[in-house]
DNA sequence: ACGTATGCGGATGGTTTCATTCCGCTTATG
DNA sequence: CATAAGCGGAATGAAACCATCCGCATACGT
């Protein structure tokens, strides 16, 4: 173990570093990992110089964000497993952590650059795999409980959320087409009248689409 | 009415023009309207010169694609209305025309540039509004039939599909947050065990996510 | 309180990516 | 076969971005 090299920063430097990471998390989640460095710096309230001093290039920043994010999600997932009464509830709870999950998905499934980094970094890859195992546990558990429909797999759930967030690049063309159809099918089932939870907020009308 | 100015093109020119439009439809649907002009030209099998001769700039191309697409979708919607036995069925059928719908959504809700054009062009705006009316008819009709859950509106359905395709830019921040929550709720209901249609293809696993 | 190592901001240079134009060559058409 | 119409793609210029550098500011040990 390398003693973490960020401990010996001057107080203000540490603060800035944290702000940069927080800003990057927000921006990456919302817009993907290809955002101009200057925008991240501005949003963090620092100059680009500061950003580059702490993270030598974009890849380093992405790596840092990715580790942080996967770690959080994994922690959340385990907390859900412990605290919720069933796998179905744990899954639902996890799916509602939208912001973290959205960031994970951007990094792991949408941004080509981030994807390349994840692949090349064994530590991150390990985190990702670990997460996938936990997720699979939820899916199979919830199915065993009779609460999750039998005809979906872990990939469906992930794809559903990924597709919800963006059309994925590449992804074998064939799988993407199939995945798309399945997502639409699931969503249509979600639209059916019947035993549903009530939705938050009010029904959106056509006018809500305008501006 | 100006007699359509594209009729008097030389045969090969007309062919090229059609290829350009077809290529642009595909690319815009998949990647949004901000794709390099050269990529569109290449994909259409022509030089950039040819592209620019037929469409003076990107905006002109977007306009042409938009008119064509809205027109198709509107036609599809009316055909569905006529041929399907219920509003619910018509809605489902429409939602399954993914490619056309995806293009509509890219143009009308995702790409900022396309959006600006739609706004500024009364003819296109009219088409869009017309489409929204038909869609609203489906939604309300399907609810009257007791097949579509009561707590969603036309905006929900549109948002659902838009969100399925991409995270929307701008959109009032507040509406976007709410819309997101509602979409997730609907999708979770779509995941519930119970009375569902069977999905096409096989269940996707975690491994399908890899490549 | 002071000296200095550490950190800061943002102007700047160099590169890449695009949109659009232009022109010599090709081809459909009458 | 003459020629108007069309074609491709190199060339041009503008814009967006990454990454560096340096004069100034600030935290921290003594």
């Amino acid at each position: 173990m390398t003693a973490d090299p960020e401990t010996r920063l001057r107080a203000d430097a540490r603060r800035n570093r944290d702000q940069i990471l927080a800003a990057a998390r927000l921006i990456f989640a919302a817009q993907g990992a290809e955002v101009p460095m200057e925008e991240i710096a501005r949003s963090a309230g620092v100059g680009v110089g500061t950003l580059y001093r702490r993270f030598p290039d974009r890849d380093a920043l992405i790596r840092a964000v990715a580790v942080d994010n996967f770690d959080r999600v994994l922690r959340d997932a385990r907390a859900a497993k412990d605290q919720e009464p069933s796998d179905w509830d744990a899954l639902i709870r996890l799916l509602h952590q939208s912001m973290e999950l959205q960031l994970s998905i951007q990094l792991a499934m949408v941004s080509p650059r981030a994807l390349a980094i994840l692949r090349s970094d064994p530590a991150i890859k390990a985190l990702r795999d670990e997460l996938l195992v936990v997720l699979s546990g939820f899916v199979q558990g919830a199915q065993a409980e009779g609460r999750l429909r039998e005809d979906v797999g872990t990939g469906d759930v992930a794809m559903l959320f990924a597709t919800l967030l963006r059309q994925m690049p590449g992804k074998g063309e064939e799988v993407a087409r199939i995945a798309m159809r399945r997502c639409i099918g699931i969503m249509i089932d979600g639209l059916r009248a019947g035993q549903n939870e009530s939705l938050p907020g009010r029904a959106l009308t056509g006018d809500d689409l305008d501006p």
Side-chain angles (χ1 to χ4, degrees), chain A:
Chain A
M1 286 298 140
T2 59
D4 59 347
E6 314 300 2
T7 300
R8 311 192 155 278
L9 288 177
R10 222 169 70 177
D12 54 345
R14 164 146 219 79
R15 195 167 35 233
N16 281 336
R17 182 178 189 278
D18 291 346
Q19 281 168 355
I20 290 172
L21 247 103
R25 296 201 319 133
L26 245 41
I27 292 185
F28 284 178
Q31 323 195 34
E34 267 85 352
V35 178
M37 295 297 255
E38 191 181 338
E39 189 171 329
I40 297 167
R42 183 158 18 94
S43 157
V46 304
V48 273
T50 303
L51 174 47
Y52 275 97
R53 191 166 326 100
R54 219 48 74 195
F55 306 94
D57 56 18
R58 177 186 296 277
D59 283 13
L61 178 59
I62 292 179
R63 243 189 307 276
V65 170
V67 173
D68 177 86
N69 171 253
F70 283 150
D71 199 61
R72 283 173 198 250
V73 174
L74 196 53
R75 210 192 318 280
D76 284 350
R78 289 187 169 134
K81 176 110 190 142
D82 287 351
Q83 296 163 14
E84 298 297 325
S86 72
D87 278 346
W88 169 261
D89 289 300
L91 180 61
I92 297 304
R93 165 164 157 182
L94 197 60
L95 295 186
H96 271 117
Q97 312 271 331
S98 357
M99 145 68 174
E100 290 304 336
L101 220 45
Q102 188 171 341
L103 180 50
S104 293
I105 286 170
Q106 283 283 3
L107 297 174
M109 310 183 68
V110 179
S111 165
R113 182 149 186 187
L115 192 57
I117 294 176
L118 300 216
R119 283 194 199 298
S120 72
D121 186 325
I124 299 184
K125 201 180 170 73
L127 271 178
R128 193 199 94 127
D129 290 344
E130 220 172 327
L131 184 56
L132 222 53
V133 169
V134 176
L135 187 61
S136 288
F138 288 169
V139 168
Q140 285 162 25
Q143 284 171 334
E145 294 163 11
R147 300 242 255 158
L148 174 64
R149 52 192 300 180
E150 291 287 345
D151 57 351
V152 299
T154 310
D156 281 302
V157 176
M159 284 288 195
L160 188 55
F161 268 72
T163 310
L164 177 84
L165 296 175
R166 254 169 205 278
Q167 143 108 338
M168 270 152 306
K171 200 55 80 183
E173 184 69 28
E174 205 46 36
V175 178
R177 239 175 32 82
I178 301 263
M180 182 64 146
R181 290 189 184 285
R182 293 177 64 79
C183 287
I184 291 177
I186 292 172
M187 295 207 322
I188 287 176
D189 283 339
L191 286 176
R192 268 176 222 289
Q195 33 46 290
N196 309 316
E197 291 288 304
S198 74
L199 298 174
R202 68 175 210 294
L204 299 178
T205 71
D207 293 337
D208 290 315
L209 303 177
D210 271 328

